[in-house]
Amino acid sequence: RSIHDANPNHSNLIVFILSEIVSIALKTRRKILTVAQELDSPALRTYLSWKSYISAETMAHLLHIDSSPRGERSHSRRMTREFVEQWKQVHPDDTVTYRDTGRNPIPHVDEPWIAAAFSPPEQHTPELREAIRLSNQLVDEFLAADIYIIGVPMYNFSVPSGFKAYIDQIVRFGRTVTFEPNDLGNVFKPLVLG
């Protein structure tokens, strides 16, 4: 049973949260839209009606990620699909890159990946280049996007392990985060804001 089933007014909270995301997007020019299982279609339509956060003259690149292992019965897949379809009706020139971490799992980080991620590329052996290849591709894909539409169901109070593996692959020092040891209050800083 989803939170929406337990509380039919929950979508009002989601709309409020989305309005806060719009506010951040306006300030940072980086847009992140997270669509969770509780979000319903009317909330998506309400969010689409707020067109002021992206100008009509600006073409955007959307990164659409689904992470549910469920197929047609997945609520998060249905909502992200509806969102992207409606978005494309309003912004037909925008491009969409699609990634499905539920049906096409991302490998988990392993020891060769760690060795490659924390060593200079010019020192990579063929094994290390192969170990970090997908991560480089995922980071490039992530950085190329202006807007992220991410469908994430909640399982056992967390995200699906395939989506966690995706996050582990794209959190990379020097590419998406940086380490500043002299800032004791915040040594890890994002290089992508949203």
Side-chain angles (χ1 to χ4, degrees):
R1 205 162 92 126
S2 72
I3 292 173
H4 186 265
D5 292 336
N7 181 357
N9 296 320
H10 187 70
S11 63
N12 294 336
L13 176 61
I14 296 297
V15 170
F16 171 76
I17 292 168
L18 288 173
S19 68
E20 293 301 309
I21 293 171
V22 170
S23 174
I24 293 168
L26 281 168
K27 293 175 189 167
T28 64
R29 301 297 301 152
R30 210 67 190 164
K31 299 93 180 165
I32 297 178
L33 311 177
T34 302
V35 180
Q37 181 176 352
E38 298 80 34
L39 196 62
D40 66 3
S41 206
L44 289 173
R45 284 191 289 278
T46 300
Y47 190 65
L48 278 174
S49 70
W50 299 331
K51 297 181 215 167
S52 63
Y53 75 98
I54 185 165
S55 71
E57 303 86 41
T58 304
M59 288 189 354
H61 181 158
L62 284 69
L63 176 57
H64 173 188
I65 301 172
D66 279 324
S67 63
S68 175
R70 297 173 87 190
E72 292 304 311
R73 298 180 329 147
S74 169
H75 299 293
S76 60
R77 283 180 186 280
R78 176 184 48 80
M79 289 183 289
T80 59
R81 182 180 60 248
E82 287 177 8
F83 183 96
V84 171
E85 287 170 358
Q86 292 177 34
W87 181 276
K88 289 294 285 177
Q89 289 175 6
V90 176
H91 305 282
D93 295 329
D94 289 357
T95 58
V96 178
T97 298
Y98 180 71
R99 181 155 299 273
D100 189 336
T101 65
R103 293 183 179 157
N104 303 299
I106 302 296
H108 293 275
V109 167
D110 57 14
E111 189 168 354
W113 185 97
I114 294 168
F118 293 95
S119 63
E122 60 273 6
Q123 294 178 6
H124 288 176
T125 63
E127 177 192 23
L128 293 184
R129 275 193 296 279
E130 182 56 28
I132 204 74
R133 181 186 56 75
L134 177 61
S135 178
N136 286 335
Q137 178 185 343
L138 294 172
V139 170
D140 291 343
E141 180 180 270
F142 181 79
L143 294 175
D146 301 302
I147 301 171
Y148 308 100
I149 296 95
I150 305 171
V152 183
M154 296 295 290
Y155 297 134
N156 300 321
F157 306 105
S158 187
V159 300
S161 66
F163 186 67
K164 173 62 168 84
Y166 173 82
I167 292 169
D168 291 343
Q169 291 279 354
I170 66 167
V171 174
R172 294 271 304 280
F173 285 105
R175 303 227 34 217
T176 56
V177 296
T178 188
F179 178 71
E180 296 182 14
N182 295 332
D183 185 353
L184 299 179
N186 187 17
V187 294
F188 299 105
K189 298 211 179 208
L191 296 175
V192 178
L193 299 175

